[in-house]
């Protein structure tokens, strides 16, 4: 017979191992509560507003032109402004295709805004004022390049170094006219006839023979630029090869006999002669500042200028400073530039091109720089007196 302690032990063990399996004794688990509150519901219409905003931003990307870009080859990933006057932005890190193209073809177009000026009477202070005034009003002065063609008897290297001392950050090139004349296909002329011919055609043919460019500017040396040169350079020439402003203070009938001119128009079978009679009240183009697209220039341009010079005996009219032969050749064949880009003698805020009012050099062959012009002080804003002493020493 088992003892009472053993019976109590078995009873306790059986109580631990045996549990009633009835459903009424199971514990119901409590619901799980999330640790984070559910997101709030958006207000009515906010989803539609977000979709409209995304579509609007996409439209801005499509219709607004970019203003800056980053070159993937630039290790600093700096932002580079996009110049609207360029077809493609210039990068300091050309691609391999661009590099191989440059090496294969030396006549690749040179980027930048290129300004040419031709003078047969060297005046370094005048050229310095033209350079500094243009750069002072430019948005991107580092992209502006100047090419000055000086008389063959002048020292081009000495002139270059003097200007670089005054304007060290400028892009300058001084070229002797003798080197350029050898490259040009000049007619068989000598003396004053040759000089007259060069004065007429220099703005157009000289830069074309010097560099491969799709557009460039010719500016007379005795000019002060007040407007932004990028604005002028960006003007669309349309179907024309050149763009000039008109000077309606000078009329065609004041410089040539209109009856003789129209008699030539009726009898001369030349492509550069107008098909309709010439208007005596036609405004003359101002060739002191010319925007040129050399790709559209007529191949017979230089021949036409020479023909008009001989037919009308314009050698005696060199002092008029109007390039009459060029005006007749390009009669109604040029894009009219805004009047604000016409050369003015008076200095006003509206005018973007004014005449150089400083001291001039008198030369025997030059027709524009005459000592009789009045001397002012506006030019001194672009050239201090110490710089003048360096240039004239």
């Amino acid at each position: 017979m088992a003892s009472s302690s053993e019976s109590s032990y078995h009873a306790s063990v059986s109580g631990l191992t045996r549990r009633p399996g009835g459903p009424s004794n199971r514990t119901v688990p409590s619901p799980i509560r999330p640790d984070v509150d559910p997101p709030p519901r958006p207000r009515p219409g906010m989803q539609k507003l977000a979709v409209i905003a995304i579509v609007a931003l996409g439209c801005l990307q499509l219709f607004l032109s970019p203003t800056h870009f980053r070159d993937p080859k630039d290790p600093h990933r700096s932002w580079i402004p996009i110049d609207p006057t360029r077809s493609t932005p210039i990068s300091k890190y050309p691609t391999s295709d661009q590099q191989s193209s440059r090496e294969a073809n030396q006549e690749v177009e040179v980027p930048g805004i290129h300004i040419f000026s031709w003078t047969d009477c060297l005046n370094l202070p005048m050229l310095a004022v033209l350079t500094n005034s243009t750069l002072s009003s430019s948005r991107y002065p580092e992209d502006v390049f100047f090419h000055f063609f000086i008389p063959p008897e002048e020292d081009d290297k000495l002139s270059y170094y003097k200007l670089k001392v005054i304007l060290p950050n400028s892009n300058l090139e001084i070229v002797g006219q003798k080197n350029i004349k050898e490259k040009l296909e000049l007619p068989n002329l000598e003396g004053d006839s040759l000089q007259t011919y060069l004065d007429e055609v220099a703005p157009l043919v000289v830069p074309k023979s010097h560099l491969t460019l799709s557009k460039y500017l010719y500016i007379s040396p005795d000019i002060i630029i007040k407007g932004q040169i990028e604005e002028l350079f960006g003007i669309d020439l349309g179907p024309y090869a050149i763009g000039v402003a008109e000077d309606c203070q000078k009329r065609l009938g004041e410089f040539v006999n209109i009856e003789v001119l129209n008699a030539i128009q009726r009898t001369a079978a030349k492509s550069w002669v107008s098909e309709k009679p010439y208007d005596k009240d036609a405004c003359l183009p101002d060739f002191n500042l010319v925007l040129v697209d050399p790709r559209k220039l007529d191949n017979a341009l230089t021949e036409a200028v020479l023909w008009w010079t001989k037919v009308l005996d314009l050698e005696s009219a060199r002092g008029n400073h109007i390039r009459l032969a060029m005006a007749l050749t390009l009669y109604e064949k040029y894009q009219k530039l805004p009047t604000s880009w016409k050369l003015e003698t008076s200095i006003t805020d509206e005018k973007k091109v004014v005449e150089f009012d400083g001291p001039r050099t008198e030369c025997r062959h030059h027709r524009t720089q005459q000592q009789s012009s009045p001397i002012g002080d506006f030019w001194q804003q672009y050239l201090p007196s110490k710089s003048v002493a360096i240039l004239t020493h």
Side-chain angles (χ1 to χ4, degrees):
M1 183 175 180
S3 65
S4 58
S5 59
E6 292 179 353
S7 60
S8 63
Y9 171 76
H10 290 290
S12 62
V13 170
S14 62
L16 290 174
T17 58
R18 297 178 182 178
R19 291 183 180 181
S24 59
N25 295 329
R26 292 181 180 177
T27 304
V28 179
S30 60
I32 300 175
R33 306 178 67 90
D35 295 335
V36 180
D37 294 335
R41 294 183 178 181
R43 296 181 180 179
M46 292 301 293
Q47 292 180 345
K48 295 182 179 180
L49 183 60
V51 172
I52 294 174
I54 294 174
V55 173
L57 291 176
C59 292
L60 290 178
Q61 291 286 344
L62 291 175
F63 296 107
L64 289 182
S65 58
T67 59
H68 292 71
F69 77 101
R70 289 195 295 188
D71 195 321
K73 294 182 178 294
D74 185 1
H76 302 289
R77 304 290 290 171
S78 57
W79 287 101
I80 304 172
I82 297 177
D83 189 350
T85 61
R86 304 184 190 278
S87 59
T88 56
I90 297 178
S91 172
K92 294 185 292 184
Y93 304 92
T95 62
S96 58
D97 294 338
Q98 291 175 338
Q99 186 69 25
S100 60
S101 176
R102 291 179 184 178
E103 294 175 357
N105 185 10
Q106 296 181 353
E107 294 185 354
V108 67
E109 180 183 347
V110 182
I113 298 177
H114 292 262
I115 297 175
F116 294 82
S117 190
W118 176 282
T119 176
D120 54 0
C121 185
L122 183 61
N123 188 330
L124 288 180
M126 181 181 291
L127 297 180
V129 170
L130 170 60
T131 305
N132 198 20
S133 63
T134 305
L135 297 178
S136 299
S137 58
S138 173
R139 288 181 294 176
Y140 307 104
E142 67 277 5
D143 293 338
V144 182
F145 298 83
F146 297 87
H147 310 268
F148 297 131
F149 298 92
I150 64 175
E153 64 271 12
E154 301 290 347
D155 190 339
D156 51 348
K157 292 184 179 180
L158 179 61
S159 301
Y160 170 79
Y161 290 127
K162 285 185 177 182
L163 288 175
K164 287 297 288 184
V165 169
I166 305 303
L167 302 166
N169 297 324
S170 59
N171 301 311
L172 292 174
E173 182 187 24
I174 306 295
V175 183
Q177 295 176 4
K178 181 180 180 181
N179 299 330
I180 295 299
K181 290 179 181 179
E182 295 175 353
K183 296 181 181 180
L184 297 176
E185 296 180 359
L186 297 175
N188 188 17
L189 299 175
E190 295 180 356
D192 292 341
S193 298
L194 177 60
Q195 190 62 44
T196 303
Y197 177 81
L198 286 174
D199 289 338
E200 301 291 349
V201 302
L204 302 181
V205 301
V206 170
K208 185 179 179 180
S209 64
H210 189 61
L211 289 175
T212 303
L213 301 171
S214 60
K215 187 185 287 188
Y216 57 82
L217 280 164
Y218 172 85
I219 301 180
S220 295
D222 54 342
I223 277 182
I224 299 176
I225 300 294
K226 295 177 57 183
Q228 287 187 350
I229 206 67
E230 290 83 2
E231 174 188 342
L232 173 62
F233 197 77
I235 294 178
D236 184 13
L237 296 179
Y240 301 106
I242 74 166
V244 291
E246 288 187 335
D247 186 0
C248 290
Q249 295 179 351
K250 298 176 181 178
R251 305 285 180 170
L252 182 61
E254 299 176 6
F255 299 95
V256 65
N257 190 320
I258 201 67
E259 295 181 359
V260 174
L261 188 60
N262 284 327
I264 296 173
Q265 183 268 331
R266 292 189 298 268
T267 57
K270 297 291 185 179
S271 60
W272 50 80
V273 177
S274 176
E275 296 179 356
K276 59 182 181 180
Y278 291 90
D279 183 7
K280 67 176 181 179
D281 295 325
C283 301
L284 288 178
D286 180 12
F287 287 112
N288 288 288
L289 191 149
V290 187
L291 181 62
V292 184
D293 184 345
R295 300 168 300 180
K296 301 177 184 177
L297 286 175
D298 191 347
N299 293 330
L301 175 66
T302 56
E303 180 184 356
V305 172
L306 181 61
W307 186 85
W308 278 115
T309 304
K310 291 182 177 180
V311 168
L312 296 179
D313 191 20
L314 297 180
E315 293 181 14
S316 59
R318 293 177 70 240
N320 290 331
H321 189 212
I322 58 172
R323 292 192 174 95
L324 188 55
M326 188 76 73
L328 292 172
T329 302
L330 299 172
Y331 184 78
E332 295 185 346
K333 297 178 182 178
Y334 56 86
Q335 179 69 37
K336 297 179 182 178
L337 299 182
T339 55
S340 57
W341 288 103
K342 182 180 73 70
L343 177 63
E344 295 288 345
T345 55
S346 59
I347 301 174
T348 60
D349 294 336
E350 296 80 13
K351 300 302 178 182
K352 300 178 180 179
V353 182
V354 296
E355 187 177 7
F356 176 77
D357 61 344
R360 297 169 179 261
T361 304
E362 186 176 359
C363 297
R364 59 177 182 172
H365 291 302
H366 203 263
R367 61 178 180 175
T368 62
Q369 302 175 13
Q370 299 296 329
Q371 194 68 28
S372 58
S373 300
I375 297 178
D377 56 0
F378 182 69
W379 67 281
Q380 296 178 359
Q381 298 182 17
Y382 304 100
L383 192 65
S385 57
K386 293 183 179 179
S387 301
V388 176
I390 295 175
L391 295 174
T392 57
H393 179 69

